[in-house]
mmCIF file of all heavy atoms in Angstrom:
data_model
loop_
_atom_site.group_PDB
_atom_site.id
_atom_site.type_symbol
_atom_site.label_atom_id
_atom_site.label_comp_id
_atom_site.label_asym_id
_atom_site.label_seq_id
_atom_site.Cartn_x
_atom_site.Cartn_y
_atom_site.Cartn_z
ATOM 1 N N MET A 1 110.028 127.086 93.699
ATOM 2 C CA MET A 1 109.214 126.443 94.704
ATOM 3 C C MET A 1 108.608 127.514 95.607
ATOM 4 O O MET A 1 109.325 128.170 96.337
ATOM 5 C CB MET A 1 110.045 125.482 95.525
ATOM 6 C CG MET A 1 110.528 124.287 94.754
ATOM 7 S SD MET A 1 111.555 123.211 95.753
ATOM 8 C CE MET A 1 113.044 124.174 95.833
ATOM 9 N N SER A 2 107.365 127.686 95.519
ATOM 10 C CA SER A 2 106.685 128.700 96.311
ATOM 11 C C SER A 2 106.378 128.166 97.708
ATOM 12 O O SER A 2 105.746 127.125 97.856
ATOM 13 C CB SER A 2 105.383 129.115 95.635
ATOM 14 O OG SER A 2 104.626 129.923 96.492
ATOM 15 N N SER A 3 106.827 128.881 98.721
ATOM 16 C CA SER A 3 106.541 128.455 100.087
ATOM 17 C C SER A 3 105.118 128.818 100.496
ATOM 18 O O SER A 3 104.624 128.335 101.503
ATOM 19 C CB SER A 3 107.543 129.072 101.053
ATOM 20 O OG SER A 3 107.434 130.480 101.032
ATOM 21 N N PHE A 6 102.713 125.978 101.156
ATOM 22 C CA PHE A 6 103.009 125.124 102.296
ATOM 23 C C PHE A 6 103.151 125.924 103.587
ATOM 24 O O PHE A 6 103.775 125.481 104.534
ATOM 25 C CB PHE A 6 104.275 124.309 102.016
ATOM 26 C CG PHE A 6 104.140 123.471 100.782
ATOM 27 C CD1 PHE A 6 104.668 123.896 99.568
ATOM 28 C CD2 PHE A 6 103.445 122.278 100.808
ATOM 29 C CE1 PHE A 6 104.512 123.135 98.423
ATOM 30 C CE2 PHE A 6 103.286 121.517 99.677
ATOM 31 C CZ PHE A 6 103.816 121.944 98.476
ATOM 32 N N GLN A 10 104.674 124.827 107.344
ATOM 33 C CA GLN A 10 105.844 125.567 107.815
ATOM 34 C C GLN A 10 105.583 126.168 109.189
ATOM 35 O O GLN A 10 106.422 126.069 110.085
ATOM 36 C CB GLN A 10 106.191 126.700 106.843
ATOM 37 C CG GLN A 10 106.940 126.250 105.620
ATOM 38 C CD GLN A 10 107.320 127.442 104.780
ATOM 39 O OE1 GLN A 10 106.507 127.965 104.037
ATOM 40 N NE2 GLN A 10 108.551 127.873 104.914
ATOM 41 N N GLY A 26 113.300 118.730 108.329
ATOM 42 C CA GLY A 26 113.432 118.898 106.888
ATOM 43 C C GLY A 26 112.159 118.404 106.237
ATOM 44 O O GLY A 26 111.569 117.424 106.680
ATOM 45 N N LEU A 27 111.717 119.111 105.206
ATOM 46 C CA LEU A 27 110.498 118.711 104.509
ATOM 47 C C LEU A 27 110.710 118.828 103.017
ATOM 48 O O LEU A 27 111.141 119.867 102.520
ATOM 49 C CB LEU A 27 109.322 119.602 104.936
ATOM 50 C CG LEU A 27 107.995 119.359 104.207
ATOM 51 C CD1 LEU A 27 107.464 117.960 104.504
ATOM 52 C CD2 LEU A 27 106.982 120.419 104.613
ATOM 53 N N GLY A 28 110.414 117.760 102.320
ATOM 54 C CA GLY A 28 110.460 117.762 100.863
ATOM 55 C C GLY A 28 109.144 117.235 100.326
ATOM 56 O O GLY A 28 108.620 116.253 100.841
ATOM 57 N N VAL A 29 108.608 117.913 99.329
ATOM 58 C CA VAL A 29 107.353 117.487 98.714
ATOM 59 C C VAL A 29 107.616 117.309 97.224
ATOM 60 O O VAL A 29 108.033 118.246 96.536
ATOM 61 C CB VAL A 29 106.230 118.527 98.931
ATOM 62 C CG1 VAL A 29 104.948 118.064 98.264
ATOM 63 C CG2 VAL A 29 106.012 118.787 100.416
ATOM 64 N N VAL A 30 107.360 116.096 96.736
ATOM 65 C CA VAL A 30 107.550 115.771 95.326
ATOM 66 C C VAL A 30 106.257 115.172 94.808
ATOM 67 O O VAL A 30 105.651 114.326 95.456
ATOM 68 C CB VAL A 30 108.702 114.760 95.138
ATOM 69 C CG1 VAL A 30 108.854 114.372 93.686
ATOM 70 C CG2 VAL A 30 110.002 115.335 95.682
ATOM 71 N N ARG A 35 109.749 118.500 92.109
ATOM 72 C CA ARG A 35 109.946 118.975 93.470
ATOM 73 C C ARG A 35 109.127 120.249 93.656
ATOM 74 O O ARG A 35 109.373 121.271 93.044
ATOM 75 C CB ARG A 35 111.412 119.263 93.734
ATOM 76 C CG ARG A 35 111.681 119.644 95.185
ATOM 77 C CD ARG A 35 113.127 119.931 95.468
ATOM 78 N NE ARG A 35 113.953 118.838 94.992
ATOM 79 C CZ ARG A 35 115.237 118.979 94.680
ATOM 80 N NH1 ARG A 35 115.822 120.140 94.777
ATOM 81 N NH2 ARG A 35 115.927 117.945 94.252
ATOM 82 N N LEU A 36 108.130 120.156 94.531
ATOM 83 C CA LEU A 36 107.243 121.289 94.783
ATOM 84 C C LEU A 36 107.736 122.162 95.924
ATOM 85 O O LEU A 36 107.493 123.372 95.932
ATOM 86 C CB LEU A 36 105.831 120.792 95.108
ATOM 87 C CG LEU A 36 105.150 119.926 94.052
ATOM 88 C CD1 LEU A 36 103.791 119.469 94.557
ATOM 89 C CD2 LEU A 36 105.018 120.685 92.744
ATOM 90 N N PHE A 37 108.403 121.537 96.893
ATOM 91 C CA PHE A 37 108.829 122.284 98.077
ATOM 92 C C PHE A 37 109.976 121.551 98.743
ATOM 93 O O PHE A 37 109.985 120.321 98.804
ATOM 94 C CB PHE A 37 107.663 122.406 99.060
ATOM 95 C CG PHE A 37 107.990 123.162 100.306
ATOM 96 C CD1 PHE A 37 108.032 124.545 100.302
ATOM 97 C CD2 PHE A 37 108.239 122.496 101.486
ATOM 98 C CE1 PHE A 37 108.338 125.244 101.457
ATOM 99 C CE2 PHE A 37 108.540 123.186 102.650
ATOM 100 C CZ PHE A 37 108.585 124.568 102.630
ATOM 101 N N GLU A 38 110.935 122.302 99.243
ATOM 102 C CA GLU A 38 112.035 121.725 100.012
ATOM 103 C C GLU A 38 112.544 122.808 100.960
ATOM 104 O O GLU A 38 112.833 123.926 100.526
ATOM 105 C CB GLU A 38 113.153 121.252 99.098
ATOM 106 C CG GLU A 38 114.280 120.562 99.828
ATOM 107 C CD GLU A 38 115.303 119.974 98.872
ATOM 108 O OE1 GLU A 38 115.324 120.366 97.678
ATOM 109 O OE2 GLU A 38 116.083 119.132 99.313
ATOM 110 N N HIS A 39 112.583 122.471 102.248
ATOM 111 C CA HIS A 39 113.069 123.440 103.230
ATOM 112 C C HIS A 39 113.638 122.693 104.431
ATOM 113 O O HIS A 39 113.155 121.620 104.786
ATOM 114 C CB HIS A 39 111.931 124.362 103.689
ATOM 115 C CG HIS A 39 112.405 125.517 104.501
ATOM 116 N ND1 HIS A 39 112.961 126.639 103.931
ATOM 117 C CD2 HIS A 39 112.436 125.715 105.834
ATOM 118 C CE1 HIS A 39 113.297 127.491 104.895
ATOM 119 N NE2 HIS A 39 112.984 126.947 106.055
ATOM 120 N N TYR A 40 114.651 123.274 105.044
ATOM 121 C CA TYR A 40 115.305 122.683 106.206
ATOM 122 C C TYR A 40 115.343 123.720 107.313
ATOM 123 O O TYR A 40 115.591 124.896 107.066
ATOM 124 C CB TYR A 40 116.731 122.234 105.850
ATOM 125 C CG TYR A 40 116.702 121.245 104.717
ATOM 126 C CD1 TYR A 40 116.799 121.682 103.399
ATOM 127 C CD2 TYR A 40 116.508 119.909 104.963
ATOM 128 C CE1 TYR A 40 116.722 120.782 102.347
ATOM 129 C CE2 TYR A 40 116.431 119.000 103.921
ATOM 130 C CZ TYR A 40 116.543 119.445 102.619
ATOM 131 O OH TYR A 40 116.460 118.558 101.596
ATOM 132 N N TRP A 41 115.082 123.264 108.534
ATOM 133 C CA TRP A 41 115.064 124.153 109.683
ATOM 134 C C TRP A 41 116.130 123.728 110.682
ATOM 135 O O TRP A 41 116.190 122.573 111.087
ATOM 136 C CB TRP A 41 113.721 124.100 110.396
ATOM 137 C CG TRP A 41 112.578 124.679 109.643
ATOM 138 C CD1 TRP A 41 112.109 125.962 109.724
ATOM 139 C CD2 TRP A 41 111.729 124.020 108.712
ATOM 140 N NE1 TRP A 41 111.030 126.128 108.891
ATOM 141 C CE2 TRP A 41 110.766 124.940 108.259
ATOM 142 C CE3 TRP A 41 111.684 122.721 108.202
ATOM 143 C CZ2 TRP A 41 109.781 124.632 107.343
ATOM 144 C CZ3 TRP A 41 110.704 122.400 107.281
ATOM 145 C CH2 TRP A 41 109.774 123.348 106.868
ATOM 146 N N ASP A 55 120.595 119.820 105.985
ATOM 147 C CA ASP A 55 120.427 120.139 104.567
ATOM 148 C C ASP A 55 120.070 118.865 103.805
ATOM 149 O O ASP A 55 119.862 117.813 104.400
ATOM 150 C CB ASP A 55 121.676 120.808 103.995
ATOM 151 C CG ASP A 55 122.918 119.929 104.077
ATOM 152 O OD1 ASP A 55 122.799 118.684 104.069
ATOM 153 O OD2 ASP A 55 124.026 120.480 104.152
ATOM 154 N N SER A 56 120.005 118.948 102.502
ATOM 155 C CA SER A 56 119.562 117.814 101.689
ATOM 156 C C SER A 56 120.519 116.631 101.713
ATOM 157 O O SER A 56 120.156 115.537 101.287
ATOM 158 C CB SER A 56 119.326 118.258 100.243
ATOM 159 O OG SER A 56 120.544 118.693 99.663
ATOM 160 N N GLY A 57 121.724 116.807 102.213
ATOM 161 C CA GLY A 57 122.679 115.712 102.271
ATOM 162 C C GLY A 57 122.504 114.802 103.474
ATOM 163 O O GLY A 57 123.105 113.731 103.542
ATOM 164 N N ARG A 59 120.947 112.004 105.705
ATOM 165 C CA ARG A 59 120.159 110.793 105.484
ATOM 166 C C ARG A 59 119.663 110.286 106.828
ATOM 167 O O ARG A 59 120.429 110.157 107.774
ATOM 168 C CB ARG A 59 120.987 109.696 104.813
ATOM 169 C CG ARG A 59 121.510 110.086 103.460
ATOM 170 C CD ARG A 59 120.352 110.210 102.463
ATOM 171 N NE ARG A 59 120.820 110.658 101.179
ATOM 172 C CZ ARG A 59 120.558 111.840 100.647
ATOM 173 N NH1 ARG A 59 119.840 112.719 101.309
ATOM 174 N NH2 ARG A 59 121.011 112.171 99.469
#
Side-chain angles (χ1 to χ4, degrees):
M1 292 178 286
S2 170
S3 62
F6 302 99
Q10 281 184 280
L27 176 64
V29 179
V30 177
R35 185 180 308 156
L36 302 177
F37 180 79
E38 184 174 17
H39 190 79
Y40 302 91
W41 291 267
D55 61 28
S56 64
R59 299 292 177 249

